[in-house]
Amino acid sequence: MNLFSILIADQPPDAPPRLPPAVARNIGSFKEHHPGLPHRLYDQPAIRAFLRAHMEADVCRAYEELLPYAYRADLARLCLLHEFGGAYADLSVFFHEGLPLESGKLVVFRDRAVDAPWIVSNTIIAAPARLPAFEAAIRMIVAHCRRRYRGVSSLCPTGPVLFGKAIALHCEPEQIHLGEVINVAQRETTETLAFVDATNGRLVAYRAKSAAGLDVLGMDAGVNNYNDFYNAHLVYASDFPVIIKADFLAAHGAPGGRLEGTHWLLARDGGDGVLAAAGRCRLPFPFAAGRHRVLLDLAWATPGEVGLAATAHGSGATLACARRRIDETGPASVTLDLDVEASRKDIVVAILAAPGARVAVAGLRIERLQGDIPT
């Protein structure tokens, strides 16, 4: 019997995971209340190595297809528990007492029925190895990746709605030791979730977070929030390319320009001859780590140099830049390769032009490039 935790964050190769005090305390409580059981914290390289060694190729592909790291963790915990058995807990959970592992049953906590009557939390799970429900849940996630399934909420593609459905289809009541999840805060801004053993009413653990994501626990870099991706309709890598039309750029861009038909018209007046921004717009979606390509589609541009830059909102730091020269007025495009080293949602694109230049922007196309899966 093993204890599992998962931390998926973008970090330098071979760097040990950085654990904020709250996370270290929570892991400590997990180990304290299950004495004598080995604990392992799986980071992304360890998960990838495990999947390659123990899972089918389509499961490995599904893991890479999922852009939100919480969704990857959903799949990874199912695979670990299916292969080895044991107990899993999210990094946000503080334990008050141990799980009833001696029962040999599937230990789960019924979640609040927001989206489906069968919803089951996957925040805390204990299970023997090779339960059919876990194999079914894994196959359901693989199928969802192929279909780019969204469901009715962000809990549907990989999480509690799917997990509860697999249990309902493949487990008998006598196989389950049941608990309940109760929100004791009763406030819209904060969830304080109590995990209660339904057989005796005892508090097993609690989770207090003001929002989804690890950033609220002190992980301030290299993590992402599944709700950001779900709301942007970017659950899967195959949800790319993303097309941003001129009307959005004109409505949300700066410093000016105007929308004329289906084009965002920009002019660069004055200046010292250096290529500079004629217009900027913050991209309305998050990026997971990986290689991307941004294509600027110009309906027409006057002769001269034009370019495209990606910068960080706030600091203005340049992340990537591309430029080209146009010899005569007409349609043109600029291609920018953008290597996002760590997940972020602060990227601004700047359309560059020389003094006196005029451009008509038709839109942007953002692609996620396929490449070798990191080891």
Side-chain angles (χ1 to χ4, degrees), residues 131-340:
L131 276 185
F134 284 75
E135 181 177 3
I138 293 166
R139 301 316 307 176
M140 288 164 66
I141 292 176
V142 171
H144 284 182
C145 289
R146 288 174 177 158
R147 294 168 49 202
R148 293 164 56 191
Y149 173 79
R150 285 178 47 81
V152 298
S153 83
S154 59
L155 302 180
C156 292
T158 62
V161 173
L162 176 146
F163 185 47
K165 185 176 182 179
I167 291 171
L169 290 171
H170 296 278
C171 289
E172 298 298 332
E174 59 268 22
Q175 296 176 284
I176 301 172
H177 188 106
L178 188 62
E180 291 192 76
V181 180
I182 302 170
N183 183 9
V184 297
Q186 299 298 323
R187 294 195 299 270
E188 292 184 2
T189 57
T190 304
E191 280 191 337
T192 301
L193 302 183
F195 294 80
V196 177
D197 190 323
T199 66
N200 56 26
R202 294 175 65 89
L203 175 66
V204 175
Y206 76 87
R207 189 193 78 178
K209 291 172 66 177
S210 59
L214 291 175
D215 53 340
V216 298
L217 295 175
M219 295 289 298
D220 55 358
V223 296
N224 63 39
N225 187 317
Y226 66 92
N227 283 319
D228 291 337
F229 284 86
Y230 185 87
N231 293 334
H233 292 258
L234 289 175
V235 171
Y236 307 103
S238 53
D239 286 332
F240 281 91
V242 175
I243 306 298
I244 302 178
K245 296 183 179 180
D247 56 351
F248 180 93
L249 297 171
H252 298 87
R258 72 180 190 276
L259 185 67
E260 186 172 293
T262 58
H263 301 148
W264 185 28
L265 301 185
L266 297 172
R268 169 96 192 282
D269 296 319
D272 56 4
V274 177
L275 202 65
R280 295 184 180 88
C281 185
R282 185 171 179 176
L283 295 180
F285 56 86
F287 284 78
R291 296 186 304 120
H292 299 77
R293 179 165 291 156
V294 184
L295 294 95
L296 170 64
D297 180 14
L298 298 175
W300 55 262
T302 56
E305 196 172 22
V306 296
L308 185 64
T311 64
H313 178 71
S315 71
T318 299
L319 307 175
C321 184
R323 58 182 66 192
R324 62 163 294 186
R325 184 162 193 84
I326 296 173
D327 295 325
E328 59 183 30
T329 299
S333 63
V334 181
T335 300
L336 173 70
D337 286 337
L338 176 61
D339 189 0
V340 179

Side-chain angles (χ1 to χ4, degrees), residues 12-26:
D14 302 322
R18 296 182 299 104
L19 298 181
V23 172
R25 183 195 65 161
N26 292 343

